[in-house]
Amino acid sequence: MSSKMSVEKQEDILCFFINGKKVTENNPDPETTLLSFLREKLRLTGTKYGCGGGGCGACTVMLSRLQPATRTITHFSVNACLLPVCQLHGASVTTVEGVGSTKTRLHPVQERIAKAHGTQCGFCTPGMVMSMYTLLRNRPQPTMEDIIQALAGNLCRCTGYRPILDGCRTFCQRDDGSRQEANCCRANGGEGCCLKGEQSPEEPAHEEKPRLFDKEEFLPLDPTQELIFPPELILMAEAANPKTLTFRGERMSWVSPASLEELLQLKARNPDAPLVVGNSNVGPDMKFKGVLHPLMISPTRVTELFEVTRTPQGVWVGAGCSLTEVRSLLEKLLPQLEQEQTGLIRALSRQLGTLGSQQIRNVASLGGNIVSAHPNSDLNPVLAAGNCKVSLLSAGGRRELPLDQDFFVSFGKTLLKPEEILLSVFIPFSRKGEFFGAFRQAPRKESSFSTVTSGMRVLFSEGSRVVQDVSIYYGGMGPTTVGATKTCAAIVSSPWDDETLSRAYDVLLDELVLPLSAPGGKVEFRRSLTLSFLFQFHLEVLQKLKEMHVITEEIPEKMQPLPREIHPGLQEFQHVSKEQSDQDPVGRPIMHRSALSHATGEAVYCDDLPATEGELFLALVTSSRAHAKITALDASEALRLPGVVDVITARDVPGRKARKMFGYEEELLAGGEVSCVGQLLCAVVADSRPHAKRGAAAVRVSYEDLPDPVFTAEEAVEKESFFEPRRTIERGDVTKAFESVDQAHEGELRIGGQEHFYMETQSMLVVPVGEETEFNAYVSTQFPTLMQVAIAETLSIPSNRVTCHVRRIGGAFGGKVVKTAVLACITAVAAWKTNRAVRCVLERGEDMLISGARHPVLGKYKVGFMNDGRIVAADFHYYANAGNMVDESVLVVEKFLLHFDNAYNIPNLRGHAAACRTNLPSNTAFRGFGVPQSLLVVENMVEDVAALLRRPADQIREINMYRGPSLTQYKLEFSPENLRRCWDECKLRSEHAARRLAADLFNREHRWRKRGVAIVPIKYGIAFSEGFLNQAAALVHIYKDGSVLVSHGGTEMGQGLHTKMQQVASRELHVPAAKVYISETSTNTVPNASPSAASYGTDANGMAVQDACRTLYQRLEPVRLRNPKGSWESWVQAAFLEKTSLSATGFYKGPDLYMDWDKKEGRPYAYFTFGVCCCEVELDCLTGDYRTLRTDIVVDIGRSVNPSVDIGQVEGAFMQGLGLYTLEELKFSPSGLLYTRGPSQYKIPAVCDVPLRFNVYLLPDSSNPHAIYSSKGIGEPALFLGSAAFFAIKDAAAAARSESGLLGPFSLNSPATPERACLACASPFTQKIPASKPGSFKPWALNI
């Protein structure tokens, strides 16, 4: 390649501004992104790494540029992880640090997100702040729709989004100009309105209900206080004679030409060099596929690429315009044109609204979108159907080509010659009688690559329904955008009616055939979508023809988009008693103690710790085979690369080379054999992240495949491949009971796995102290003690030489325990061997590949029941796919059987559970620890019984619910009274009966839209069933100035544990909460602590902190009695002078819980948390898309220590459950490789998935003698309540099936993705698709 020719001149200086300060770089590396530049070069660590691919929004910053043509300054949000720093010449960047800080002044966005409780772990918060801040810079008074669109590309795994939206909602304006009410009861469907002093019918007149936050306290938004665009950049932009910029890095060069002529010459000399505008295509290819371009050309300063020219026939749009600019341009054109001219413009605008996220649309160019030629492009089918054309330019001249099927040659290839550039795109105005349709279906409603897209156009002569011309294009139906030419031929010259379309469907099915093993899978669904889209277009066109009086017959059904307006929700909790001191924070909705630090980016996470002198970075080498012998591992090439210091293998481990659990060993680094793709083989340490990554890629591993890998639960059962012990439990006599039942039924349910997707990936830093083999380990973990013990054993040193520090964790959910210990041990070996600090931070794809997930489960059941609805016998078999290592799988399957009664007193109940040993990456603990899988099978069984008896499922649930003093299957006594109260309260609050009737009415009136309602209970056992894990300790110091430092064994990962401990200390010491500080969790202050897990953190650590504080308060008693009116500070000072110890440890032994599996009885839980959730969804039967219209949750959590934290836990857990049961899908290749290794392939819930009305009620007048201040653990139980959305979808699908005459139980596996929901509806279109026979082809993905 001739890149040297084009870049022989001297390099230039890059000049831009960050937070108002000038930055000049003499030799920027084109491979450096803005994110790494901010974090590593400038130490601005508020901007976070979440995924590296522009899919999560954690790295959002604001970019401001002067548009020279209009002299206007534009502000737009961008993903710093995709933006090359070389692209920033002449731009101004604002990061979260530049918006506001706790040291100077908070910005209202930061304050409102924090005080509205919109932050839990806080890792996503700076990105949220920046997306909202950018919106406010452009629109100081946004609408709710603006906010939802601005936040669509920002993911949060903790909060469930509701509090973030509530905080942002306070910036909205009503139509009359006043601020919008964040909590209006009228908006919640109430009849009366609190603003008018009215009461809703069932509410007696009494004092005002407590609120989670008071918006009257918020700082007003003052746009005049924002940072100005640097005047120096304005002068720079207006200077005459812009010159070409050239930057050279270690492996590649970057040229930014200043004129079109120069660009064409560059391209002629370097035809293979890509043009980079948004880097949303080239960037991910380089990062994730290892593509290297020796030269990149950035044409962003070539003005001709951004010109817009309007002609009488249409508009030429510059190919460099961003998708945001294109949409804005199209929307500005609408009022200037006749209605009949706007068909194509409206169709394009609709597609642009959901293509990517706001951050992606702000940088991705129209030309880049076309030329990248993605098979499932949202725009290309619409542009092709609309007869658009492109203008291509090279040094040899200009040519115009139609954007049609021939333009897209093959996967990622077009008719563009290597030396050509795409200059502009012509979008024609539509004509009279010409109609357009644009359709897309994606795994998630927004910020998601499409499964299938379509653009359609039809032309009629005036006053006729006979088709003159038609074009139909699809994306996602082959390697390129495809045109349905035969289908069009079958329609042309025929009247647009059912008969013509019916013929067209058959032609279309024959014309667009996908092989059953097509990449991306979902073949039946994709084929059915081609028909559904054509049918939707058919209905839309009929509607238009009727409006124009061309036809008079009735239209079957007007297709409306699913509802999307998010309303304010209700969050109800009890006031504290009037007697409680104002200073006592317990029971009040106190803001998370780090919320302001989260919102300003000041909160320090593991990878935010500054690098120490000589620090190295560690990258891992993983297995590419699922079941093989390692025949050779050659690191010689890696060791020759720049910056690589060493390679760590199993031979380097001085102590224990494996971690042992349940009698099985897990090697830290595989020696002779690998048992899954992603198993750790060795590690490369280098002087920087990029060097370590390149070193890891250069390690060569040779394998010899071993026969018959096991991937599925069925294969494991067939080959008896299990981790022992397997468990069984029984109450009553199941076999005998089946002899006397009225009806019996057998069924099964598959539940897919779930990736933790904590926003902060696995992160650790191990620092040798320098003497006596002492190490400090800074690890993002839920279990510091395990890290300490594991590192000590691996290095063969005593535990007292290792201190593990955890300040905070950016989310964990069970995924930062076992695998984290393995990673920490490898990092420690590297630090020990090199005697230098070593940092290891996994990239998102590595993390997802290596760290395991929630167990996929195959559940089988047989149920016997009476005709009156009583279930008298049930037999369950659970098979969990444990993966290649035992991890905590044995405990997980035990929990299946400890919970599978859920809320039901089934007199004869039997369960069998097994952890299947397979050649997939080892699965691990995940919030709920097996309960969400176990109970979904149980509730599915209940739904089957209801379907067979033709009765509502809630009646069957109610008939079988525990009543009065009850015994579980393991003979633990409990009272279900509060479970029944939650059930009754939820039915009342959700207006369940009325909404059930309304849904039935809706379903009778709509053929292609159905509503479903479901109400689901949970009984969840709290604490560790291994009694020794329930202990906790704390250390409390009082300093001479009266300030208090609390240390305890729990870790803060967003669940508000430190905030609650601060509340406990404040109450017990009778001091304001502001006097109490919690710095970190470390093994040198509180030894031998249990993991922060099992929803038991507050219960155990709260009691320990209480014990220490009471000891101290007791010690101060003599001083207090002598000076009762003295201040706290005076008492502390006096006690110090009297030589009273102002430091105390606290200890809580915890309950002695156990489970005897031989006797099948025990007391594995301290108590139960109860909850009930009612969900209503609306389902589009043609595409499988759905919206959760309303969710009402009632939970019994005793007396809440902090209602804002607890409600946040309920909402966040529900949304995680919603993801598990309706959205999140792990896909593995037939050879065991995880396909879904990032947010572009794996979809967690986003803002677009929040229930449109989301109400949470904490059950009043409840208490719990078994926990601190009568509270209850709440972290995990509510996750299962997300299954209410699953069963509501199933209910809606049942209504759709009944239209086709299909009644009774049917199979719907979890997650109920659009694909599964659509196929379950069994519409006439899905029934046209020939069913595939399993075993007759090799599927694209395994059915795990």
Side-chain angles (χ1 to χ4, degrees):
M1 162 142 187
S2 56
S3 61
K4 288 194 176 76
M5 286 169 55
S6 56
V7 290
E8 62 274 315
K9 62 191 274 301
Q10 279 300 301
E11 289 142 76
D12 296 293
I13 294 174
L14 178 71
C15 174
F16 61 107
F17 277 69
I18 293 183
N19 299 332
K21 291 180 182 164
K22 187 174 180 179
V23 176
T24 52
E25 273 293 295
N26 286 333
N27 49 352
D29 190 326
E31 290 187 77
T32 302
T33 62
L34 174 58
L35 178 63
S36 56
F37 186 82
L38 290 171
R39 292 183 58 81
E40 288 159 28
K41 185 103 183 200
L42 301 184
R43 295 283 317 132
L44 293 172
T45 55
T47 309
K48 304 297 182 205
Y49 168 86
C51 71
C56 73
C59 65
T60 303
V61 297
M62 184 175 85
L63 197 61
S64 306
R65 283 192 187 275
L66 179 76
Q67 304 300 338
T70 56
R71 285 191 54 89
T72 54
I73 291 156
T74 56
H75 307 293
F76 47 97
S77 55
V78 297
N79 293 304
C81 69
L82 284 182
L83 198 64
V85 76
C86 292
Q87 194 87 296
L88 294 173
H89 191 71
S92 175
V93 176
T94 307
T95 71
V96 69
E97 291 91 346
V99 170
S101 81
T102 56
K103 298 188 191 98
T104 52
R105 104 183 221 293
L106 286 172
H107 190 276
V109 173
Q110 295 168 319
E111 182 202 35
R112 294 185 195 193
I113 285 181
K115 290 185 177 172
H117 314 290
T119 156
Q120 287 183 23
C121 86
F123 201 81
C124 73
T125 311
M128 293 281 181
V129 165
M130 291 313 300
S131 286
M132 189 62 200
Y133 174 78
T134 309
L135 173 63
L136 293 173
R137 288 297 299 262
N138 291 314
R139 294 192 180 182
Q141 294 175 358
T143 64
M144 204 60 209
E145 184 57 37
D146 293 332
I147 291 170
I148 289 166
Q149 204 158 51
L151 298 180
N154 290 77
L155 299 180
C156 170
R157 198 52 155 164
C158 297
T159 64
Y161 301 101
R162 192 277 312 160
I164 298 170
L165 291 171
D166 273 4
C168 295
R169 187 189 295 275
T170 59
F171 291 105
C172 288
Q173 292 272 320
R174 283 168 173 255
D175 295 337
D176 61 7
S178 63
R179 286 275 171 215
Q180 201 174 69
E181 275 295 320
N183 276 312
C184 179
C185 41
R186 176 62 55 75
N188 287 297
E191 290 301 314
C193 181
C194 55
L195 298 176
K196 295 180 180 167
E198 300 169 16
Q199 298 294 329
S200 44
E202 73 278 3
E203 290 287 331
H206 59 71
E207 64 192 279
E208 188 191 348
K209 286 189 171 140
R211 289 184 298 184
L212 288 178
F213 64 89
D214 183 2
K215 61 187 180 305
E216 303 305 322
E217 294 176 4
F218 291 156
L219 296 165
L221 178 67
D222 182 357
T224 64
Q225 296 299 300
E226 308 296 4
L227 281 170
I228 63 163
F229 188 76
E232 187 178 334
L233 291 182
I234 298 176
L235 295 172
M236 209 166 105
E238 291 175 345
N241 303 327
K243 61 176 188 137
T244 295
L245 297 172
T246 305
F247 305 115
R248 274 200 209 86
E250 195 175 308
R251 302 193 301 167
M252 58 184 278
S253 300
W254 176 284
V255 180
S256 174
S259 70
L260 180 59
E261 188 186 346
E262 203 174 342
L263 170 62
L264 296 175
Q265 287 171 2
L266 257 176
K267 195 71 175 119
R269 292 200 301 270
N270 305 282
D272 295 335
L275 265 57
V276 177
V277 177
N279 204 40
S280 57
N281 192 47
V282 175
D285 277 357
M286 290 173 63
K287 186 174 182 65
F288 302 124
K289 296 178 184 173
V291 177
L292 179 65
H293 300 286
L295 174 67
M296 301 218 320
I297 301 170
S298 168
T300 52
R301 299 183 308 139
V302 176
T303 52
E304 289 86 345
L305 283 172
F306 301 88
E307 285 172 359
V308 176
T309 314
R310 185 171 158 184
T311 72
Q313 290 76 39
V315 60
W316 282 100
V317 180
C321 292
S322 74
L323 299 180
T324 298
E325 289 166 335
V326 173
R327 190 175 189 213
S328 170
L329 164 80
L330 296 179
E331 288 181 347
K332 282 178 187 155
L333 274 175
L334 287 175
Q336 301 169 25
L337 298 170
E338 298 295 326
Q339 175 80 14
E340 65 200 34
Q341 294 180 291
T342 62
L344 177 56
I345 288 173
R346 288 178 194 278
L348 280 170
S349 185
R350 181 156 48 147
Q351 291 298 73
L352 284 165
T354 48
L355 194 164
S357 63
Q358 187 73 58
Q359 292 95 317
I360 294 291
R361 292 193 296 271
N362 286 339
V363 295
S365 66
L366 175 62
N369 204 276
I370 293 168
V371 174
S372 56
H374 279 297
N376 54 347
S377 162
D378 287 278
L379 290 188
N380 288 342
V382 185
L383 293 168
N387 287 336
C388 295
K389 58 186 176 181
V390 291
S391 173
L392 308 178
L393 202 59
S394 68
R398 178 193 296 257
R399 62 183 181 137
E400 282 182 14
L401 288 179
L403 247 181
D404 56 16
Q405 182 160 351
D406 298 334
F407 182 78
F408 303 102
V409 178
S410 60
F411 180 85
K413 288 266 187 294
T414 66
L415 284 176
L416 235 76
K417 294 173 186 163
E419 71 278 10
E420 277 182 318
I421 65 158
L422 171 53
L423 182 69
S424 57
V425 182
F426 181 70
I427 300 170
F429 299 143
S430 47
R431 298 164 281 173
K432 195 164 192 178
E434 191 173 34
F435 305 122
F436 290 84
F439 307 94
R440 78 189 293 266
Q441 209 300 318
R444 188 175 59 206
K445 288 174 274 294
E446 291 179 8
S447 297
S448 175
F449 287 122
S450 298
T451 306
V452 176
T453 64
S454 182
M456 302 187 192
R457 176 185 63 86
V458 64
L459 176 67
F460 300 95
S461 50
E462 197 166 342
S464 164
R465 71 187 298 167
V466 175
V467 176
Q468 250 191 322
D469 189 24
V470 62
S471 56
I472 299 170
Y473 281 84
Y474 288 101
M477 289 303 294
T480 63
T481 296
V482 292
T485 45
K486 291 177 187 168
T487 308
C488 294
I491 295 172
V492 144
S493 306
S494 301
W496 188 269
D497 58 21
D498 289 353
E499 192 185 329
T500 301
L501 268 292
S502 190
R503 278 200 315 275
Y505 299 140
D506 295 333
V507 177
L508 183 59
L509 266 185
D510 290 339
E511 184 172 13
L512 295 189
V513 178
L514 270 181
L516 291 169
S517 50
K522 307 183 187 178
V523 171
E524 286 175 47
F525 179 48
R526 284 153 71 183
R527 295 191 70 195
S528 78
L529 284 173
T530 61
L531 301 178
S532 294
F533 288 164
L534 183 53
F535 174 68
Q536 286 187 54
F537 186 53
H538 172 49
L539 293 184
E540 285 179 13
V541 172
L542 286 178
Q543 186 70 36
K544 294 264 174 54
L545 292 173
K546 183 161 189 189
E547 286 166 12
M548 294 167 68
H549 309 294
V550 174
I551 60 171
T552 52
E553 70 251 35
E554 277 305 306
I555 311 297
E557 181 175 336
K558 188 173 180 184
M559 300 306 291
Q560 298 282 4
L562 289 168
R564 54 176 286 131
E565 188 185 347
I566 298 178
H567 302 274
L570 289 172
Q571 301 85 40
E572 288 200 5
F573 56 96
Q574 269 187 297
H575 263 309
V576 297
S577 73
K578 289 198 174 75
E579 290 73 51
Q580 185 169 320
S581 152
D582 287 347
Q583 185 179 279
D584 180 353
V586 172
R588 302 184 196 275
I590 304 296
M591 177 176 70
H592 191 293
R593 63 175 307 282
S594 299
L596 294 175
S597 301
H598 293 158
T600 57
E602 293 162 28
V604 177
Y605 298 82
C606 185
D607 194 32
D608 299 337
L609 293 166
T612 56
E613 187 66 37
E615 180 179 297
L616 300 174
F617 195 86
L618 181 142
L620 295 155
V621 177
T622 57
S623 162
S624 60
R625 303 292 172 87
H627 190 212
K629 276 183 185 165
I630 301 170
T631 55
L633 192 151
D634 178 9
S636 55
E637 193 186 325
L639 287 165
R640 285 197 292 271
L641 288 175
V644 172
V645 172
D646 208 343
V647 174
I648 308 298
T649 66
R651 288 192 298 275
D652 295 310
V653 178
R656 278 180 53 178
K657 297 182 187 317
R659 304 290 313 143
K660 197 166 188 175
M661 285 186 84
F662 304 106
Y664 295 92
E665 287 202 333
E666 175 173 0
E667 290 177 299
L668 300 178
L669 294 166
E673 209 173 282
V674 293
S675 50
C676 77
V677 176
Q679 191 167 347
L680 306 176
L681 304 181
C682 66
V684 174
V685 279
D687 59 2
S688 71
R689 278 170 219 252
H691 285 156
K693 196 177 163 188
R694 283 171 216 158
V699 173
R700 296 285 163 258
V701 186
S702 307
Y703 304 93
E704 181 190 313
D705 283 329
L706 293 168
D708 304 326
V710 175
F711 293 125
T712 66
E714 286 91 339
E715 289 168 350
V717 172
E718 188 187 322
K719 294 178 180 172
E720 285 282 307
S721 177
F722 299 111
F723 288 111
E724 301 294 345
R726 287 174 266 178
R727 298 296 191 195
T728 59
I729 199 164
E730 182 170 8
R731 76 167 160 211
D733 188 334
V734 173
T735 308
K736 193 174 177 195
F738 269 115
E739 294 168 6
S740 56
V741 298
D742 290 343
Q743 295 188 53
H745 169 71
E746 291 187 36
E748 72 171 50
L749 180 71
R750 282 178 176 281
I751 302 139
Q754 184 181 28
E755 163 60 32
H756 300 85
F757 214 98
Y758 26 68
M759 294 304 293
E760 175 200 33
T761 58
Q762 299 276 356
S763 307
M764 55 215 60
L765 170 64
V766 179
V767 184
V769 172
E771 59 175 299
E772 299 194 50
T773 57
E774 187 184 338
F775 292 85
N776 280 320
Y778 302 87
V779 188
S780 179
T781 178
Q782 298 166 247
F783 200 175
T785 298
L786 176 63
M787 304 304 122
Q788 177 194 31
V789 170
I791 290 171
E793 288 176 352
T794 302
L795 299 182
S796 200
I797 57 177
S799 289
N800 61 6
R801 306 294 169 83
V802 181
T803 306
C804 181
H805 303 265
V806 182
R807 190 173 189 88
R808 61 171 57 79
I809 308 168
F813 315 113
K816 291 185 175 174
V817 182
V818 177
K819 195 60 80 175
T820 313
V822 170
L823 295 168
C825 290
I826 296 167
T827 309
V829 170
W832 170 81
K833 187 181 178 190
T834 60
N835 203 30
R836 287 158 77 173
V838 177
R839 188 182 298 250
C840 174
V841 179
L842 296 192
E843 293 194 342
R844 177 64 61 186
E846 286 180 302
D847 191 301
M848 293 181 75
L849 180 69
I850 292 167
S851 65
R854 186 189 294 283
H855 293 72
V857 170
L858 171 63
K860 299 187 174 191
Y861 52 86
K862 182 180 178 186
V863 56
F865 54 98
M866 311 309 282
N867 291 332
D868 63 2
R870 283 178 299 125
I871 298 171
V872 291
D875 193 2
F876 289 88
H877 288 261
Y878 292 102
Y879 301 99
N881 195 324
N884 69 326
M885 300 291 172
V886 69
D887 202 287
E888 299 188 64
S889 300
V890 170
L891 299 177
V892 169
V893 300
E894 286 180 358
K895 203 148 181 174
F896 289 170
L897 300 186
L898 295 177
H899 277 81
F900 79 135
D901 58 330
N902 194 17
Y904 310 116
N905 190 7
I906 300 170
N908 304 285
L909 182 65
R910 182 166 62 210
H912 317 255
C916 301
R917 186 175 196 162
T918 64
N919 294 111
L920 293 178
S922 172
N923 289 310
T924 188
F926 194 147
R927 193 180 201 167
F929 208 74
V931 176
Q933 299 101 303
S934 172
L935 297 196
L936 194 75
V937 180
V938 174
E939 294 296 340
N940 200 61
M941 174 205 76
V942 175
E943 295 270 330
D944 282 357
V945 171
L948 288 161
L949 293 172
R950 306 275 174 88
R951 292 181 66 176
D954 62 288
Q955 287 183 14
I956 305 301
R957 290 187 167 98
E958 212 160 305
I959 288 166
N960 290 288
M961 222 174 260
Y962 280 111
R963 282 183 169 74
S966 299
L967 271 183
T968 65
Q969 63 272 28
Y970 43 87
K971 303 184 177 63
L972 173 65
E973 273 190 62
F974 76 102
S975 165
E977 184 198 342
N978 279 1
L979 171 64
R980 305 287 308 198
R981 284 183 61 209
C982 286
W983 179 262
D984 295 339
E985 183 85 357
C986 189
K987 287 188 91 168
L988 176 74
R989 294 298 199 131
S990 65
E991 304 159 289
H992 177 265
R995 279 169 52 217
R996 174 75 271 172
L997 291 171
D1000 292 342
L1001 176 63
F1002 180 92
N1003 293 344
R1004 285 196 294 275
E1005 292 173 351
H1006 295 80
R1007 173 66 182 92
W1008 308 111
R1009 281 291 165 74
K1010 298 296 176 188
R1011 287 188 177 173
V1013 180
I1015 183 166
V1016 175
I1018 186 168
K1019 166 178 71 68
Y1020 193 99
I1022 300 292
F1024 293 98
S1025 49
E1026 298 75 21
F1028 71 91
L1029 287 173
N1030 294 311
Q1031 62 183 304
L1035 175 64
V1036 179
H1037 302 315
I1038 304 173
Y1039 294 99
K1040 288 188 286 180
D1041 63 355
S1043 62
V1044 179
L1045 180 67
V1046 173
S1047 300
H1048 59 90
T1051 55
E1052 174 58 61
M1053 48 195 159
Q1055 82 283 40
L1057 180 60
H1058 284 353
T1059 308
K1060 287 182 173 180
M1061 295 307 98
Q1062 188 180 27
Q1063 289 174 276
V1064 171
S1066 168
R1067 168 177 275 190
E1068 295 299 337
L1069 295 173
H1070 304 270
V1071 297
K1075 283 213 175 293
V1076 180
Y1077 186 68
I1078 301 175
S1079 169
E1080 65 168 9
T1081 307
S1082 62
T1083 53
N1084 61 355
T1085 52
V1086 177
N1088 313 320
S1090 295
S1092 296
S1095 306
Y1096 204 61
T1098 299
D1099 291 20
N1101 294 293
M1103 296 297 261
V1105 170
Q1106 182 187 56
D1107 181 45
C1109 290
R1110 284 185 173 174
T1111 300
L1112 288 167
Y1113 200 67
Q1114 197 66 38
R1115 282 185 200 158
L1116 292 173
E1117 190 174 29
V1119 178
R1120 288 188 286 112
L1121 291 174
R1122 282 202 302 278
N1123 181 12
K1125 291 196 174 159
S1127 65
W1128 166 257
E1129 289 79 4
S1130 66
W1131 295 339
V1132 169
Q1133 194 69 35
F1136 171 73
L1137 294 172
E1138 290 176 17
K1139 297 190 282 191
T1140 301
S1141 168
L1142 294 173
S1143 176
T1145 56
F1147 186 73
Y1148 175 59
K1149 182 171 178 282
D1152 294 319
L1153 305 181
Y1154 69 97
M1155 179 64 201
D1156 187 327
W1157 284 99
D1158 294 326
K1159 293 182 180 172
K1160 312 279 193 264
E1161 61 182 62
R1163 185 175 173 239
Y1165 303 115
Y1167 59 87
F1168 294 104
T1169 293
F1170 304 112
V1172 177
C1173 174
C1174 178
C1175 260
E1176 181 178 6
V1177 305
E1178 187 171 320
L1179 177 68
D1180 180 335
C1181 306
L1182 294 171
T1183 64
D1185 266 343
Y1186 81 96
R1187 273 318 284 242
T1188 310
L1189 303 179
R1190 179 169 163 182
T1191 295
D1192 294 86
I1193 298 175
V1194 179
V1195 277
D1196 163 34
I1197 54 166
R1199 291 185 196 147
S1200 172
V1201 174
N1202 184 328
S1204 62
V1205 166
D1206 289 340
I1207 288 171
Q1209 286 292 289
V1210 170
E1211 292 170 334
F1214 169 83
M1215 286 299 286
Q1216 216 166 30
L1218 186 90
L1220 167 65
Y1221 298 123
T1222 72
L1223 194 60
E1224 299 178 39
E1225 247 187 325
L1226 291 167
K1227 293 277 191 185
F1228 290 89
S1229 78
S1231 59
L1233 169 69
L1234 181 67
Y1235 284 134
T1236 44
R1237 298 196 302 279
S1240 60
Q1241 304 97 9
Y1242 185 82
K1243 298 298 171 193
I1244 70 168
V1247 168
C1248 60
D1249 299 295
V1250 176
L1252 302 185
R1253 296 186 191 280
F1254 197 177
N1255 304 322
V1256 177
Y1257 310 93
L1258 302 187
L1259 189 73
D1261 306 316
S1262 169
S1263 62
N1264 173 31
H1266 305 289
I1268 182 95
Y1269 304 143
S1270 210
S1271 64
K1272 283 188 174 186
I1274 189 52
E1276 295 172 287
L1279 189 137
F1280 173 68
L1281 298 179
S1283 68
F1286 173 88
F1287 290 114
I1289 291 170
K1290 195 170 184 183
D1291 185 47
R1297 292 169 68 83
S1298 68
E1299 300 263 3
S1300 303
L1302 300 169
L1303 302 170
F1306 62 97
S1307 173
L1308 177 64
N1309 288 324
S1310 170
T1313 55
E1315 175 195 9
R1316 290 202 177 107
C1318 176
L1319 296 178
C1321 287
S1323 76
F1325 303 108
T1326 59
Q1327 291 182 32
K1328 278 180 181 284
I1329 314 298
S1332 54
K1333 291 190 181 75
S1336 63
F1337 64 98
K1338 191 172 187 180
W1340 174 75
L1342 294 167
N1343 187 11
I1344 301 295

